């Protein structure tokens, strides 16, 4: 098997996590270059993967101006920084794995897909849920007719109150104009899964949501702009920043607030950076709950709910068919099949797949390491009806 060589554009947490695969499977995948504007992140990634100075770039322009150095690039920049590096990578002859969402601009989605098609290169969006044993098992059960003909789907993405506060109130995805709408930034995984499970094009959609809680009108009386500025409800507030970020646990999400995990650096980050702000006094504008109703060709319907107001960060699903129903809890690694008539109940359980890192490992193995993809130049891109919907939104 030929070892696949990749370059990383954007050495943030997601890119770093994906490419741990190269360290645990060095015979399959090798990282040969990185482009990252933050010096500390670039140097940390360089040291972890043993890269030469000449293979570490401050900007993707510099990487693509150099002679082609890898088979593929993994692009893990922010949502609105996907289009330019993707187009440059495809023009330079690289296969591309692009972190979701593809782009908040429908026109850019079309242009990237067309460029990949013309070049005959792999262009895959990192919808890693398709590669989890949980959702692959659901897909197989539907294909086998385990519940007869699929009629309806109920799916919930339980964001988690603390995750909402970290990523979508204080964090990088808090404003639509700087990233993308919440339903795209957080839930494009889920909408992709619904499309995949339905196995048909979506023909009707309705959706609405709102930002209700994380606003100034909901702030406790006397709450300052920053948690460290003498908050009168510090002892009882669910979102008091020091309780989240100044503990002994420096894993994510704490690892996102500073490149230096010392207590002093984290304290300074709360004094000066976005993660120290009161959640009721931020500049966020993305919704904190939203619903989507979908109808697919053939009459299958789906109802999706995304909500910040849950304890756990999890996904739950119910698939309803003509002869039975399937209930699943992804984070519990449980699937229950209930058969009508007999009342028979089957249960399927899975081992821990390591969260997003585990899903990403399977995704990388299936999209990069398997040789048949490079031979045929597979393009994972919105085709047919999906492309026509994008074109309609552009016009």
């Amino acid at each position: 098997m030929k070892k696949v060589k990749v370059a990383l554009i954007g050495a943030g947490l997601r890119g770093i996590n994906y490419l741990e695969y190269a360290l645990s499977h060095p015979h399959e995948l090798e990282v040969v270059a990185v482009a990252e504007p933050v010096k500390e992140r670039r140097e940390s990634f360089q040291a972890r993967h043993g890269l030469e100075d000449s293979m570490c770039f401050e900007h993707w322009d510099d990487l693509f101006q150099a002679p082609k150095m890898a088979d593929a690039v993994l692009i893990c920049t922010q949502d609105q920084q996907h289009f330019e590096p993707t187009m440059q990578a495809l023009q330079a002859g690289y296969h591309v794995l692009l972190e979701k969402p593809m782009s908040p601009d429908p026109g850019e989605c079309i242009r990237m897909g067309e460029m990949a098609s013309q070049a005959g290169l792999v262009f895959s969006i990192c919808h890693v849920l398709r590669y989890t044993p949980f959702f692959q098992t659901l897909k197989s059960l539907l294909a086998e007719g385990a519940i007869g003909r699929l009629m309806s789907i109920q799916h919930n993405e339980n964001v988690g109150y603390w995750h909402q506060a970290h990523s979508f109130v204080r964090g990088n995805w808090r404003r639509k104009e700087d990233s993308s709408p919440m339903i795209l930034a957080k839930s494009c995984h889920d909408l992709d899964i619904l499309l995949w499970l339905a196995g048909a094009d979506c023909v009707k959609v309705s959706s609405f949501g709102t930002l209700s809680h994380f606003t100034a009108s909901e702030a406790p009386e006397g709450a300052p702009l920053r948690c460290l500025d003498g908050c009168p409800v510090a002892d009882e507030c669910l979102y008091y920043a020091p309780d989240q970020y100044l503990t002994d646990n420096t894993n994510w999400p704490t690892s996102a607030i500073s490149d230096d995990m010392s207590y002093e650096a984290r304290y300074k980050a709360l004094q000066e950076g976005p993660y120290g702000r009161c959640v009721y006094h931020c500049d966020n504008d993305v919704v904190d709950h939203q619903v989507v109703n979908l109808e697919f060709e053939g009459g299958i319907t789906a109802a999706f709910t995304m909500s910040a107001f849950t304890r756990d960060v999890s996904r739950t699903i119910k698939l309803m068919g003509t002869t039975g129903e399937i209930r699943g809890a992804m984070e519990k690694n449980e699937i229950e099949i209930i058969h009508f008539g007999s009342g028979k109940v089957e249960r399927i359980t899975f081992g821990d797949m390591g969260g997003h890192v585990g899903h990403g490992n399977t995704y990388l193995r299936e999209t990069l390491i398997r040789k048949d993809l490079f031979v045929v130049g597979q393009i994972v891109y919105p085709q047919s009806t999906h492309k026509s919907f994008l074109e309609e939104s552009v016009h």
Side-chain angles (χ1 to χ4, degrees), residues 232-310:
V233 295
D235 291 340
E236 58 194 71
C237 182
L238 294 171
Y239 306 103
Y240 184 58
D243 288 345
Q244 176 70 73
Y245 302 117
L246 297 183
T247 70
D248 293 335
N249 184 354
T250 57
N251 295 325
W252 186 86
T254 300
S255 59
I257 75 169
S258 172
D259 293 315
D260 181 349
M261 284 292 99
S262 68
Y263 183 91
E264 293 74 19
R266 286 182 283 144
Y267 192 92
K268 184 178 180 181
L270 296 190
Q271 288 179 312
E272 302 175 358
Y275 295 98
R277 294 180 298 179
C278 171
V279 295
Y280 303 106
H281 291 307
C282 290
D283 58 346
N284 56 304
D285 65 4
V286 300
V287 303
D288 50 27
H289 61 296
Q290 184 165 348
V291 295
V292 183
N293 294 310
L294 305 161
E295 182 180 348
F296 298 92
E297 287 183 352
I300 297 171
T301 57
F304 171 65
T305 298
M306 179 280 300
S307 179
F309 307 107
T310 63

Side-chain angles (χ1 to χ4, degrees), residues 125 265 330 391:
I125 312 305
M330 182 180 177
E391 291 173 332

Side-chain angles (χ1 to χ4, degrees), residues 73-120:
V73 295
L74 182 55
I75 298 176
C76 293
T77 50
Q78 288 295 308
D79 297 1
Q80 297 203 15
Q81 296 176 324
H82 286 178
F83 179 70
E84 290 297 336
T86 295
M87 295 297 280
Q88 289 189 40
L90 293 170
Q91 289 166 357
Y94 291 95
H95 300 290
V96 173
L97 274 65
L98 176 62
E99 175 57 5
K100 61 83 185 171
M102 192 172 176
S103 170
D105 184 329
E108 290 183 353
C109 294
I110 292 171
R111 291 173 62 188
M112 286 187 285
E114 289 178 343
M115 174 64 75
S117 181
Q118 292 166 9

